[in-house]
Amino acid sequence: MSSVPEYYAGKNVLITGATGFMGKVLVEKLLRSCPEVKALYILVRPKAGQSMQQRVTDMMKCKLFDRVREDDPDFHQKIIPISSELTQPGLAISPEDVEKLSACINIVFHCAATIRFDEPLKHALQLNVIATQQLLSLAQQMHHLEAFIHISTAYANCNRKHIDEVIYPPPVEPKKLIESLEWMDEGIVRDITPRLIGDQPNTYTYTKALAEYVVQQEQEKLSIGIIRPSIVGASWQEPFPGWIDNFNGPSGVFIAAGKGILRTMRANNDAVADLIPVDVVINLTLAAGWYTAVHRPKTALVYNCTTGGINPFHWGEIEHHVMSSFKRNPLEQAFRRPNANITSNYLMNQYWILVSHKLPAFIYDLFLRLSGQKPQMMRIFNRLHKAIGLLEYFSSQDWEWNSENVNMLMSQLTPEDRKTFNFDVRQLNWPEYIENYCIGTKKYVLNEDILRNIRYTFNTVLVVFIWRVFIARSQMARNIWYFVVSLCFKFLSYFRASSTLTK
């Protein structure tokens, strides 16, 4: 049996969503831990003002790739961008590129998706379901394809309390739903969305469940693996602890709390916060790609990539460690001193929102108006409340995920591969991870110098220490100190006298 790096040696890999958070980590890990991989073909859409090549160049300049850059300065030559657009027929891939991909691709990692919880249903269907169908059609044209790995979410079936590593039948046939919504305008679709998604909390989890079913339908033609991560957070170990590059999910909440903006949040302190580090997800994904290609299972294997049932950590504990971390490593230009509290009581949460959020925001905006500036704080709080509201469903209850396939996969790896592609969350130290996560948001998302506060504190202590030594040993230093203090005292006395005369 080959090791994971040996399997990927000489292979051509297709990755969707490579410029996203998880996609970038997947690209970096493949290049660093499987250095003999032949080429990574990544689907990229040109953005306004940026060409496809410019987006890829900017991605490769990211600090995330520093370790790869040290090992192989020419690593960028292995990355081949393919122009694509998920909202267009055939993914807008040119016939020449279709031919090229069909001739050489050995493994596909489908990471692209919209992760917005409040995405309009038609758009979520297009990005999460229809695009997946079209990628599967392309995969069936690939002459040397050995595995198709689809990134789903552990919350695709969150309307169930116990979730096994199986694909559950969807509430509606995806093809029929797509055909029904095709002729409707956005207004009608928006009105019927709550009835369509039923007991699913949002269009994201609903469409990801449909996408799993769409992928499963091709299991007789393709070797398929489905990865279901829970709430994906900053890296645990690789390429370095705490790497994060976005405000999505817990990152935005942590930053808002660290800035002193978020003071209250409705959640269950005793509910499990099923965070999963991004490098754990990627290690499992690459190992699943290897296993799927080598063992060719007859049915699509599902891997629940979660922590709650193996190494649980609760929302109340997260709140404590996030606050402690930001008090030790404060964010710059904070609105207030960090002090957030979690409560499951709706009325208590509304009271604290009024007292700790809306009232300070109103006063601050009033000050901005009086000083001729544009008010902004109330708008920031409204956006924060909307984001927090979307998370409440996930922060107020627990789920149980079966992880038999994950354990099976771990047992199939060599001891060396278990270290290189570590996804054993039993080893995860939560307080240390949360500390690194908070520092990561400060360093990589906000681009704040983590050493600045340490330098200021050290320099201040050093100056005070040296000065105290001089004062203790030098009469001249004592005379200077007394002179400065008396001068300050005289200035304050003069200021008070002037204020009294003015009145």
Side-chain angles (χ1 to χ4, degrees), residues 335-400:
F335 181 60
R336 296 169 73 184
R337 186 174 180 271
N339 186 25
N341 289 296
I342 288 177
T343 177
S344 57
N345 186 292
Y346 174 79
L347 292 176
M348 186 64 71
N349 184 56
Q350 291 301 307
Y351 168 76
W352 285 116
I353 284 175
L354 178 64
V355 172
S356 297
H357 287 185
K358 292 186 176 179
L359 189 59
F362 174 78
I363 293 170
Y364 188 76
D365 279 352
L366 182 62
F367 167 75
L368 290 176
R369 279 194 178 94
L370 293 174
S371 60
Q373 299 178 65
K374 188 178 179 180
Q376 59 178 350
M377 196 52 68
M378 190 62 81
R379 178 171 49 84
I380 290 172
F381 272 109
N382 287 337
R383 288 171 58 191
L384 177 64
H385 293 151
K386 183 179 178 182
I388 295 296
L390 293 170
L391 291 173
E392 276 184 13
Y393 179 90
F394 304 96
S395 60
S396 58
Q397 52 187 316
D398 289 310
W399 287 268
E400 291 179 10

Side-chain angles (χ1 to χ4, degrees), residues 5-20:
E6 284 173 354
Y7 166 71
Y8 285 104
K11 294 293 192 292
N12 290 304
V13 181
L14 176 65
I15 302 172
T16 71
T19 56

Side-chain angles (χ1 to χ4, degrees), residues 63 65-75:
K63 183 175 175 58
F65 292 93
D66 282 357
R67 285 181 63 182
V68 176
R69 214 175 340 263
E70 288 175 12
D71 296 338
D72 180 12
D74 298 322
F75 77 93

